[in-house]
Amino acid sequence: MKKFPGFLFLITPVLLLIFSGCNSGEKTERQDKVITVSILPQKYFVDKVSGKRFDVNVMVPPGANPVTYEPSPRQMSNLGNSLAYLKIGHVVFEQVWMDRIRSANPRLKIFDQSENVDLIDHGGNGSTHSHGKGVDPHIWLSPESVQVQLRNIRDMLIKLDSVNRKDYRENCQALMKDIDSLDAEIQHSLEGIDNREFLIIHPALAYFARDYGLEQIAVQKEGKKPSPARIRNLVDKARERNIQAVIIQKQFSTDEAKTLARELDGEVIQIDPLAYNWMENMRTIAGKLRKALKDSE
């Protein structure tokens, strides 16, 4: 009996090898089923088109800001478990981190969700948005643009798992049909509103505004807080056009919005462009915008 502990000591390495072999196999299996994305709305799209055949890992967690978020060392390490990375296309998070992600994971397959989307350039197509040089990244906030993005996601899934291509095509088509209905619903809700301009702190709704003949007046320019002179100009412009509501993104400080709302005797309306349930969130955003526009009439 005194030799028993020694016996355990001898077999422990063998057991460890057996269990590590099992874990290694499980890791490979998981890797075949994991797609990493940048933001939550992408997870919604991949879940819907894939029928949840893949686990979707989101880099920017709920409540975080894609402009400033830095992934944890654990997140960067876990990327090794992913079969592919689906970029949204032009968010600051990707501009800062994608080269590092690619360098650390040379075998990671990288796909671009923004491919073939009609992008809005800074200062072009009525956009007042800027994160610096580049294009407006908020392509997921437009039903029309999302139709293009869903085809990209469908094609990515077929490349990763051609056996289930029929399901991916059918799921994509079904979701696009739902989006057609959503688009018609939003169009109808915004009919008969004469004032088509709205005031927003962070210029996230340029694509949405383009879809529905609206114009966003953005407080931030080039990602910078407005000067007192710019605030005064915006207040004068808003008063002239009877704009009272100030729209603010959930992930940003409300200080500027509250200051403007006080000046305008108006209210702050909060939206969350990064919510997971894209379909319901678009209805919510449209409803809040409708209220802001109606209050301005």
Side-chain angles (χ1 to χ4, degrees):
M1 293 297 293
K2 291 182 180 180
K3 293 182 180 181
F4 191 67
F7 174 71
L8 282 178
F9 179 80
L10 288 174
I11 67 168
T12 298
V14 177
L15 291 173
L16 288 174
L17 284 173
I18 293 171
F19 289 128
S20 65
C22 292
N23 290 335
S24 176
E26 290 171 1
K27 181 176 180 181
T28 301
E29 185 177 346
R30 286 198 305 271
Q31 184 177 19
D32 290 340
K33 295 295 183 181
V34 178
I35 295 172
T36 293
V37 299
S38 295
I39 59 175
L40 270 173
Q42 291 178 280
K43 173 175 167 55
Y44 178 88
F45 299 140
V46 176
D47 283 346
K48 288 290 187 179
V49 179
S50 72
K52 294 192 175 181
R53 274 199 170 91
F54 288 85
D55 294 329
V56 183
N57 172 48
V58 183
M59 290 299 287
V60 181
N65 187 336
V67 175
T68 57
Y69 183 73
E70 296 186 3
S72 68
R74 184 184 184 119
Q75 280 184 296
M76 294 298 286
S77 175
N78 286 343
L79 278 169
N81 293 327
S82 293
L83 176 63
Y85 194 113
L86 177 64
K87 301 193 304 177
I88 189 67
H90 301 276
V91 293
V92 172
F93 172 81
E94 291 172 352
Q95 293 171 354
V96 173
W97 289 95
M98 279 310 302
D99 285 346
R100 285 179 249 189
I101 289 171
R102 186 181 288 108
S103 176
N105 302 276
R107 295 184 179 179
L108 186 66
K109 299 172 184 177
I110 298 177
F111 298 86
D112 189 347
Q113 186 170 320
S114 70
E115 188 175 345
N116 299 319
V117 171
D118 183 11
L119 300 171
I120 295 178
D121 293 312
H122 296 317
N125 296 322
S127 173
T128 54
H129 173 81
S130 178
H131 280 296
K133 293 182 179 180
V135 300
D136 188 313
H138 304 94
I139 59 171
W140 67 95
L141 295 172
S142 154
E144 182 177 333
S145 295
V146 164
Q147 299 265 11
V148 178
Q149 296 167 60
L150 290 178
R151 295 187 190 99
N152 293 335
I153 292 170
R154 174 201 63 196
D155 293 346
M156 173 194 72
L157 292 170
I158 290 172
K159 287 180 181 177
L160 296 176
D161 177 29
S162 61
V163 172
N164 293 298
R165 62 168 66 87
K166 183 175 181 289
D167 287 345
Y168 301 146
R169 287 172 178 153
E170 289 177 352
N171 292 343
C172 180
Q173 192 61 36
L175 183 54
M176 290 172 71
K177 186 176 180 180
D178 289 341
I179 293 175
D180 283 337
S181 298
L182 172 69
D183 180 47
E185 178 184 324
I186 295 174
Q187 289 279 11
H188 179 71
S189 74
L190 296 173
E191 286 177 358
I193 298 176
D194 294 328
N195 193 339
R196 314 295 286 184
E197 298 172 305
F198 59 91
L199 188 62
I200 188 168
I201 300 297
H202 181 72
L205 295 177
Y207 291 94
F208 186 98
R210 184 175 69 182
D211 278 4
Y212 300 108
L214 308 176
E215 181 183 348
Q216 69 171 4
I217 301 172
V219 175
Q220 293 182 351
K221 292 186 72 174
E222 298 180 1
K224 299 176 183 177
K225 289 186 176 182
S227 66
R230 177 165 172 75
I231 289 286
R232 175 50 52 193
N233 288 336
L234 286 169
V235 168
D236 291 343
K237 186 175 184 179
R239 283 176 176 164
E240 177 186 332
R241 302 179 188 191
N242 198 35
I243 297 173
Q244 294 180 309
V246 183
I247 298 170
I248 179 71
Q249 184 173 332
K250 182 179 179 181
Q251 291 75 22
F252 287 77
S253 168
T254 60
D255 293 345
E256 292 169 351
K258 288 178 179 177
T259 299
L260 280 168
R262 281 195 298 268
E263 289 287 333
L264 298 171
D265 294 323
E267 63 176 324
V268 175
I269 296 178
Q270 189 179 75
I271 62 172
D272 184 7
L274 296 171
Y276 168 76
N277 191 328
W278 181 87
M279 193 77 68
E280 286 306 311
N281 193 41
M282 291 299 289
R283 285 192 177 94
T284 299
I285 290 173
K288 290 184 175 183
L289 267 179
R290 184 180 187 278
K291 181 182 186 307
L293 294 169
K294 290 289 287 183
D295 288 347
S296 299
E297 292 189 325

